[in-house]
Amino acid sequence: MTPIHEPLSEEAAARLVQVAALSRSSLAIRGGGTRGLSAAPDGADILSTRGLTGIVAYNPAEMTMTARAGTPLEVVEAALTENRQMLAFEPCDLRGALGSSGIPTIGGVFATNASGPRRFVAGAARDSLLGVRFVNGKGEVVKAGGRVMKNVTGLDLAKVLAGSHGSLALMTEVTFRVLPVPETAVTIVISNLNDAEAVAAMATAMSMSVEVSGAAHLPESVRGRFAGGVLPDGAATVLRLEGLAASVAVRAEKLTSAMVNFGAVARLDADLTTRLWREIRDAAPYADGTPRPLWRVSVAPTAGHQLVAALRLETGVDAYYDWQGGLVWLRMEADPEAALLRRYVKAIGGGHATLLRARPEVMAATETFEPQADAVAALSARVKASFDPEGLYVSPLIDRKQGA
């Protein structure tokens, strides 16, 4: 059985890492265990943040919060809700799609750069991260903005660690920006557009001065799996508006007038809007209890539908689009088709394809993330050497083929 360490303080975590460094053993960091990857890479112990909990500081007036990495996300969001504030980047919860359990943690949110529908206008999780405390591969406690690691001078350490999936250091504490919750929200629904028409409609909406905060296209194959099936018949192109009630009303009328040129238009109230965009965020139509391969693909907004069209000529695939068409949720009907998918991603101008779900043996044999270009891989290796010169930290996502 893989040893699991659960330090109760940053100091205890640092000592544990120091011992691991001296013995040249490996550590795999685990937050809330929501990614469905319970096994550490071969030979690695698990270092859990479950004991590093609690909100350290929260100043609603300054719209900043500091929390220990293992603090459950629900605790953070409850504190924010009391003050009508929120995480602007809408961190996704993929437990349903991945068939996993566990409790999302605020450290895990930033370690995976988990960002939802507002990402394309409000930025990713890393853009809200203001500071971080972490334990590097030598067991040293480092505070970004305070003590400087001399061989990474010039790097924004918080931004580097965000999205590193525990491969560089153990984040023990994060400081981040929050924003007020909008007074209300509505969703404009344009029906029966094909994928290309939907991209044109979303581009038009984004060019208008109506402050669209969500733009997604739900083809007919998935439309009925959202919002309890209440969306109008046919494919649904959905546009979210948020803010003060009077402002939203005016902007909704302006947007509706423009969108009738594309198709039939309907409107969802605030409650349905909240439900719909949560389901878009969490890949709800693919929370189907199956191991059918699920990909999260980021490309240019005008290229997503081209990618899906090309794939459909060669394999079975279901899909919907977020981020104005630039984020494609792809569920393959059989094999992951990683080589085929990544070849087409390259052909349409590049992007990132991340495999989130498949049968265990398939996951073990398939690269999770888009392979890096040689120059990027070399830079990544240098960053890794700066944070973790002995390669102490291994990631179940990045290094999991070692455990196959």
Side-chain angles (χ1 to χ4, degrees):
M1 181 177 292
T2 302
I4 300 177
H5 307 281
E6 295 182 357
L8 300 179
S9 67
E10 183 180 73
E11 294 75 15
R15 289 195 298 271
L16 192 153
V17 173
Q18 291 165 6
V19 170
L22 289 172
S23 63
R24 296 187 176 274
S25 56
S26 298
L27 295 172
I29 298 170
R30 180 191 294 173
T34 61
R35 291 283 167 162
L37 297 168
S38 58
D42 195 26
D45 290 1
I46 291 174
L47 176 54
S48 172
T49 63
R50 191 162 61 176
L52 304 175
T53 62
I55 294 173
V56 177
Y58 175 33
N59 188 331
E62 294 185 1
M63 294 190 289
T64 60
M65 178 182 283
T66 298
R68 296 186 181 91
T71 306
L73 180 60
E74 61 187 19
V75 171
V76 169
E77 292 184 327
L80 294 176
T81 298
E82 287 183 4
N83 293 280
R84 288 198 56 77
Q85 293 183 338
M86 66 178 185
L87 297 169
F89 53 89
E90 294 179 281
C92 53
D93 182 354
L94 298 180
R95 285 177 291 179
L98 299 181
S100 64
S101 56
I103 302 296
T105 64
I106 191 63
V109 164
F110 288 110
T112 59
N113 197 34
S115 310
R118 208 179 283 109
R119 156 74 174 84
F120 75 123
V121 291
R126 64 164 51 92
D127 298 304
S128 292
L129 189 59
L130 302 175
V132 62
R133 292 177 65 94
F134 63 91
V135 179
N136 67 14
K138 296 179 180 179
E140 299 169 331
V141 176
V142 182
K143 179 180 179 180
R147 173 186 175 185
V148 175
M149 296 171 64
K150 62 181 180 180
N151 49 351
V152 290
T153 298
L155 291 178
D156 185 332
L157 302 187
K159 300 297 190 291
V160 171
L161 287 172
S164 64
H165 293 269
S167 64
L168 298 178
L170 170 67
M171 288 193 288
T172 57
E173 185 179 284
V174 289
T175 299
F176 47 94
R177 179 177 59 249
V178 301
L179 290 179
V181 173
E183 181 177 284
T184 192
V186 300
T187 296
I188 304 300
V189 184
I190 309 99
S191 297
N192 290 311
L193 304 186
N194 63 36
D195 291 3
E197 292 167 340
V199 169
M202 290 188 288
T204 297
M206 294 305 301
S207 70
M208 298 173 63
S209 57
V210 294
E211 300 177 23
V212 173
S213 68
H217 178 59
L218 317 175
E220 176 61 17
S221 62
V222 299
R223 185 265 313 163
R225 298 178 228 160
F226 286 100
V230 303
L231 294 177
D233 291 343
T237 306
V238 292
L239 304 166
R240 180 176 61 185
L241 301 175
E242 299 174 300
L244 297 174
S247 171
V248 168
V250 172
R251 288 183 282 133
E253 289 300 324
K254 183 177 181 180
L255 183 58
T256 297
S257 297
M259 290 300 104
V260 294
N261 295 319
F262 290 93
V265 177
R267 191 177 300 185
L268 305 182
D269 63 18
D271 289 341
L272 273 176
T273 290
T274 298
R275 176 177 178 178
L276 172 66
W277 289 95
R278 184 189 307 119
E279 292 172 350
I280 291 171
R281 178 196 75 182
D282 296 343
Y286 302 135
D288 52 14
T290 77
R292 282 184 285 184
L294 179 63
W295 291 90
R296 189 174 189 267
V297 186
S298 177
V299 293
T302 56
H305 73 286
Q306 298 173 12
L307 171 67
V308 174
L311 288 169
R312 282 178 171 152
L313 294 176
E314 298 196 45
T315 190
V317 60
D318 194 27
Y320 74 93
Y321 310 84
D322 197 359
W323 299 358
Q324 197 194 329
L327 177 63
V328 187
W329 292 95
L330 286 171
R331 188 193 65 192
M332 299 300 193
E333 297 305 318
D335 296 326
E337 303 283 5
L340 176 68
L341 171 59
R342 286 173 168 148
R343 184 169 76 248
Y344 278 127
V345 167
K346 184 177 180 180
I348 62 172
H352 300 275
T354 304
L355 180 61
L356 298 175
R357 182 185 77 192
R359 297 188 311 276
E361 66 275 15
V362 175
M363 291 291 289
T366 306
E367 291 221 31
T368 303
F369 301 107
E370 193 73 23
Q372 295 179 330
D374 291 345
V376 176
L379 177 59
S380 297
R382 287 164 54 194
V383 172
K384 170 72 170 174
S386 298
F387 280 86
D388 182 21
E390 300 301 325
L392 176 74
Y393 293 113
V394 293
S395 167
L397 282 168
I398 296 172
D399 304 292
R400 66 182 170 205
K401 285 194 286 186
Q402 296 178 21

